Amino acid sequence: MTPDDWTAIGLTARLAALTTVLLLLVGTPVAWWLARTRSPAKLLVASLVAMPIVLPPSVLGFYLLLLMGPQGPLGQLTTALGLGRLPFTFTGLVVASVLYSMPFVVQPLQQAFEAIPERALEAAATLRAGPWDRFVTVALPLARPGFLTASVVGFAHTVGEFGVVLMVGGNISGQTRVLSVSIYDHVEAGEFGAAHRLSLMMVLFSLVVLLGLQWAQRRKAVTPEAP
Amino acid sequence: MQPAHMAPRRIWLTALATVTSLAALPAHADEVLVAVAANFAAPLQKIAEGFAAATGHVIKPSAGATGKFYTQIVAGGAPFQVLIAADDETPKKLVAEGHAVAGSNFTYAIGQLVLWSATPDLVDEQGAVLAAAARFSKLAIANPRIAPYGVAGLEVVKARGHTEAITPKLVTAESISQAYQFAVTGNAELAFVALSQVQVPGKPATGSMWKVPQSLYGEIRQDAVLLKPGERSAGAKALLAYLKTAPAQAVIQAYGYRH
């Protein structure tokens, strides 16, 4: 493993962790709204959130590059705010990853919120718990398995990001060269040994993540429900 | 063994040596952001060592497809200071569109096309295998729409008069790296690739190849250019100058490019 590989691994871990935290903050209210609303806008919002599952990453990357570039509205906004431009920066990758991994965090949360029986919230309301109190003391603890799934899958999915990063990241060492791009680099350069080392790490990582998730879900299923 | 009380003095000496060696570097050692064609990433890494030793400047290379760099520079405002391209069209276009410094583009290497196979005796030194269509089912070629090596490959097939027999056997890869991957993995028996991919210094040559004579295809010129973000960087200018020096050219030739 070269120092560059280690840099890429550290960068990937930082990107995935930051993206997951941001997505939990942004995704929780979105998922709660989707789970509870009867608004006709629900279908549209749910579809927009799910779009990165269907869209090719190169499409997402291409439009983000245009949006965040010097001629793009987002690029002009960030420049006017004194933030500079986002493509080819770590911040740009975070923005792209949040969009890219959105469905993988919002959907498990939404399912967890939908699974909360209405009776539990009504019972809390009759005990004079306000909406915020009901959410924090009843909904959040009941949705804990959903948060676990959302965090793990959101993190893992961001680690595997490639097409979007390649487009808006520019493959710059220490700033935007994440693990998947390093592997691509090694393969392109014909360094198959180096590519194998990093790829096998990814294979093991994915396997451990998925085994861990299934184990956690089985444990949840076996534990008897509290009366 | 040194006695323990010597240690502090040695630390001071080391510190002093570090400071003096730092002072020996040029006053402003730049970090140069370089976008480099994937096929030239390995030679550039070698060249970077000599460049750092000679000038004190350090390069930060990003390898990729030249066409993708073009999009990133034009649409995304990429911060690259130097582009080391796989063709001569992209640098010219960037100059014409005001994204690169006029007059800074030049040819640093000329690509050498080879017909390569992972099978040791499939390709002979005259490329006769092209006429023996029964001996292979797939010939990998870089996408001629975007890759000069792909265009060159088609020209060779045409020059040899095998277009009709070979066209159904062509497999188009997105780049010469992918064409090479198709052949290394045996998914294609033959591939048109760059000599620089199969002749890597320090690695034994594998398979069999035919170095296609220059007369059968148009010259594959690879140009470098100074991009606008590098206009004020002494390091970026020094790198372009260094690519023309004898030590850099020696590396370029060792990797199978002509000049």
Side-chain angles (χ1 to χ4, degrees):
Chain A
M1 299 271 269
T2 65
D4 244 24
D5 287 341
W6 286 113
T7 309
I9 291 171
L11 196 69
T12 309
R14 250 189 333 134
L15 176 67
L18 197 55
T19 302
T20 309
V21 169
L22 285 175
L23 269 177
L24 287 176
L25 290 176
V26 177
T28 304
V30 175
W32 179 252
W33 182 82
L34 282 174
R36 300 278 133 187
T37 189
R38 290 195 184 88
S39 155
K42 174 180 169 170
L43 284 181
L44 180 65
V45 174
S47 304
L48 284 175
V49 164
M51 252 165 72
I53 298 178
V54 182
L55 267 187
S58 50
V59 172
L60 194 60
F62 176 54
Y63 280 127
L64 277 176
L65 187 67
L66 290 182
L67 272 175
M68 305 195 301
Q71 274 92 43
L74 200 59
Q76 279 167 355
L77 178 72
T78 54
T79 313
L81 292 174
L83 298 169
R85 284 198 297 264
L86 294 178
F88 321 110
T89 64
F90 183 73
T91 315
L93 285 197
V94 174
V95 171
S97 303
V98 163
L99 288 173
Y100 175 72
S101 293
M102 178 88 71
F104 296 87
V105 170
V106 170
Q107 288 185 348
L109 289 182
Q110 184 186 342
Q111 280 159 19
F113 288 147
E114 279 167 351
I116 297 173
E118 203 63 46
R119 278 182 309 139
L121 295 171
E122 280 162 5
T126 57
L127 295 172
R128 297 197 196 168
W132 177 250
D133 192 5
R134 287 197 300 261
F135 177 72
V136 175
T137 57
V138 181
L140 282 190
L142 285 175
R144 223 176 60 189
F147 276 95
L148 177 73
T149 310
S151 313
V152 173
V153 177
F155 186 92
H157 191 249
T158 309
V159 166
E161 180 177 354
F162 173 68
V164 182
V165 162
L166 199 64
M167 207 70 181
V168 302
N171 189 7
I172 297 169
S173 171
Q175 291 170 45
T176 60
R177 182 178 300 152
V178 295
L179 203 51
S180 55
V181 177
S182 287
I183 294 171
Y184 179 70
D185 261 12
H186 286 312
V187 175
E188 285 287 282
E191 301 159 0
F192 292 171
H196 272 310
R197 275 191 289 280
L198 289 181
S199 300
L200 284 175
M201 271 180 56
M202 283 300 294
V203 170
L204 276 179
F205 169 75
S206 324
L207 186 65
V208 167
V209 164
L210 293 174
L211 278 176
L213 259 187
Q214 297 205 40
W215 177 76
Q217 275 160 3
R218 247 178 68 168
R219 228 178 52 138
K220 190 191 88 192
V222 169
T223 314
E225 289 279 328
Chain B
M1 273 283 289
Q2 298 269 359
H5 66 264
M6 287 289 285
R9 221 179 86 193
R10 278 176 54 189
I11 292 169
W12 276 112
L13 282 176
T14 317
L16 192 68
T18 313
V19 170
T20 29
S21 67
L22 279 177
L25 288 175
H28 16 252
D30 285 346
E31 205 172 61
V32 189
L33 273 183
V34 183
V36 57
N39 77 67
F40 199 69
L44 182 66
Q45 211 163 21
K46 263 261 142 24
I47 290 171
E49 291 165 17
F51 175 64
T55 66
H57 301 301
V58 180
I59 69 162
K60 235 180 164 181
S62 300
T66 301
K68 189 197 68 197
F69 286 135
Y70 174 80
T71 308
Q72 289 178 333
I73 290 162
V74 172
F80 301 121
Q81 296 171 312
V82 170
L83 171 67
I84 301 183
D87 62 358
D88 56 350
E89 288 300 317
T90 307
K92 267 186 214 149
K93 231 162 52 178
L94 287 168
V95 167
E97 290 166 2
H99 296 286
V101 177
S104 66
N105 49 325
F106 69 97
T107 304
Y108 64 91
I110 295 171
Q112 163 78 52
L113 185 74
V114 296
L115 180 68
W116 185 80
S117 172
T119 313
D121 44 7
L122 184 60
V123 185
D124 56 290
E125 277 167 24
Q126 274 78 43
V129 65
L130 282 182
R135 297 190 60 194
F136 66 96
S137 61
K138 286 189 176 66
L139 166 57
I141 190 172
N143 184 355
R145 216 163 56 81
I146 47 178
Y149 285 91
V151 176
L154 286 187
E155 285 169 354
V156 173
V157 170
K158 196 172 166 212
R160 279 294 182 89
H162 302 316
T163 307
E164 239 167 80
I166 287 180
T167 304
K169 300 184 177 229
L170 287 181
V171 183
T172 307
E174 56 141 16
S175 63
I176 44 165
S177 317
Q178 205 184 31
Y180 178 60
Q181 285 162 37
F182 287 167
V184 163
T185 54
N187 288 303
E189 294 94 333
L190 292 173
F192 276 115
V193 296
L195 178 60
S196 56
Q197 290 170 284
V198 292
Q199 175 185 302
V200 179
K203 277 191 193 164
T206 56
S208 50
M209 68 166 160
W210 170 46
K211 281 189 203 177
V212 183
Q214 183 62 67
S215 55
L216 295 181
Y217 61 94
E219 217 164 44
I220 303 169
R221 304 178 74 88
Q222 301 199 183
D223 281 16
V225 70
L226 182 64
L227 298 168
K228 277 287 156 76
E231 210 171 1
R232 280 178 228 292
S233 160
K237 286 178 203 159
L239 174 63
L240 287 170
Y242 187 80
L243 277 176
K244 299 174 186 167
T245 64
Q249 284 301 324
V251 174
I252 290 172
Q253 274 167 30
Y255 272 89
Y257 296 93
R258 296 189 304 115
H259 185 64

